[in-house]
Amino acid sequence: EAYKWFKKAAEQGLSAAQNMMGRYTESGWGNVRINKYKAVEWYRKAAEQGFVDAQYNLATCFQNGRGVTKDLAVACNWYRKAAEQGHENAKKVVAKIEDDIKKREEFFDNLVKSANNGVASAQYALAEHCLNGDGVAKNEAEAYKWYRKAAEQGQINAQYMVGRYLEEGWGNVCVNECDAVKWFKKAADQGCDEAKEKMAEYYEDGKGGLRQDSAKAAQYRKRAVAAQSSGCLLPILVTLAVVLILVAF
């Protein structure tokens, strides 16, 4: 019954009711169907009218990626608005987020600097961020540029990713299975299990300029299984290398 009246008031523009509609649709109170996207819409309507609790609630959505793409800068902006109106929790959170944003900006500045200085592990890490839209705008073409730079220096995971780009045509890269095989082989020879599987696939199907060869396909699969059974520290070592490089700057 309460939900019905909150909804009527919210539809007439009452900010407190709009905030409550956000709470209902985000949390599923009163057996209301949970819809985090709709909750964000209601919070935004109330927040834009200056309702402090809605500003705080909207900020938490942006901070945690609930019903909206995670964006710390936008979250910080709404926390700041709530803090300026005296919201105590917002005051505490905004200071921490501002510090996190500063540290993240410093991290990416150092990462880009290292990548431009030719550090292969930094180039690979930057490519991953570009591909996934993590901390930077998602850009497959930009990611490929950095994967390629790292791959040409022998970075194993970058070599595999260059192969995938050439295989799939991501980022408007021209599909070229013959070139893809070359990169998969480079990565496989360095121990990349995914690349070994790709080489097995290409030999099995006779693709990428390779003659069909079931025996070689089996050999690559056997090598991949053997490596997986012994464990693989490569991802950990790559991450550690990037961290050490950035700390040095």
Side-chain angles (χ1 to χ4, degrees):
E1 186 69 16
Y3 173 79
K4 181 181 75 173
W5 293 108
F6 278 131
K7 191 170 188 294
K8 287 181 180 292
E11 289 170 346
Q12 294 185 57
L14 186 66
S15 59
Q18 290 170 338
N19 181 62
M20 288 303 297
M21 286 298 297
R23 297 295 301 280
Y24 268 91
T25 51
E26 182 181 20
S27 303
W29 293 348
N31 294 321
V32 172
R33 179 180 295 179
I34 292 175
N35 187 331
K36 297 185 186 300
Y37 302 100
K38 192 68 177 177
V40 168
E41 292 179 13
W42 283 116
Y43 288 144
R44 191 187 296 276
K45 288 177 185 291
E48 289 174 348
Q49 293 190 68
F51 192 76
V52 63
D53 287 344
Q55 291 173 339
Y56 180 82
N57 291 334
L58 183 59
T60 64
C61 290
F62 275 102
Q63 181 184 5
N64 299 298
R66 294 199 309 268
V68 70
T69 301
K70 183 175 180 177
D71 191 321
L72 289 182
V74 175
C76 191
N77 180 56
W78 284 112
Y79 277 129
R80 193 178 293 114
K81 289 179 183 294
E84 288 170 354
Q85 294 197 69
H87 196 291
E88 292 302 322
N89 284 340
K91 291 178 184 178
K92 297 174 185 176
V93 177
V94 73
K96 184 180 184 305
I97 289 184
E98 286 176 342
D99 185 55
D100 288 345
I101 290 174
K102 183 179 178 181
K103 289 178 180 177
R104 192 167 182 80
E105 288 174 349
E106 290 174 352
F107 169 81
F108 277 104
D109 285 345
N110 287 333
L111 184 62
V112 172
K113 181 179 178 180
S114 297
N116 282 323
N117 284 338
V119 179
S121 56
Q123 291 169 340
Y124 173 75
L126 184 56
E128 288 283 284
H129 284 288
C130 290
L131 180 64
N132 298 310
D134 179 16
V136 295
K138 184 179 175 68
N139 188 325
E140 290 185 347
E142 184 71 7
Y144 177 71
K145 180 185 83 172
W146 290 110
Y147 280 132
R148 185 89 188 199
K149 287 179 181 291
E152 288 169 353
Q153 295 195 71
Q155 211 287 338
I156 177 175
N157 293 317
Q159 290 174 337
Y160 171 74
M161 287 304 297
V162 169
R164 293 287 287 131
Y165 266 85
L166 291 166
E167 180 182 53
E168 300 290 346
W170 296 337
N172 293 320
V173 172
C174 292
V175 172
N176 188 325
E177 289 188 341
C178 292
D179 283 350
V181 167
K182 293 176 184 177
W183 287 107
F184 287 142
K185 187 176 188 306
K186 288 178 184 289
D189 288 347
Q190 289 200 74
C192 177
D193 293 338
E194 292 88 347
K196 292 172 190 174
E197 287 290 344
K198 280 294 179 183
M199 289 302 297
E201 175 187 318
Y202 274 71
Y203 269 116
E204 198 163 64
D205 297 337
K207 300 189 302 181
L210 299 178
R211 290 185 178 180
Q212 197 277 335
D213 191 325
S214 297
K216 285 188 177 180
Q219 288 174 3
Y220 272 108
R221 286 212 167 92
K222 185 177 180 181
R223 286 166 56 190
V225 170
Q228 289 167 8
S229 64
S230 63
C232 182
L233 292 176
L234 182 62
I236 297 172
L237 293 175
V238 169
T239 302
L240 179 59
V242 173
V243 171
L244 292 174
I245 289 163
L246 296 180
V247 168
F249 277 93

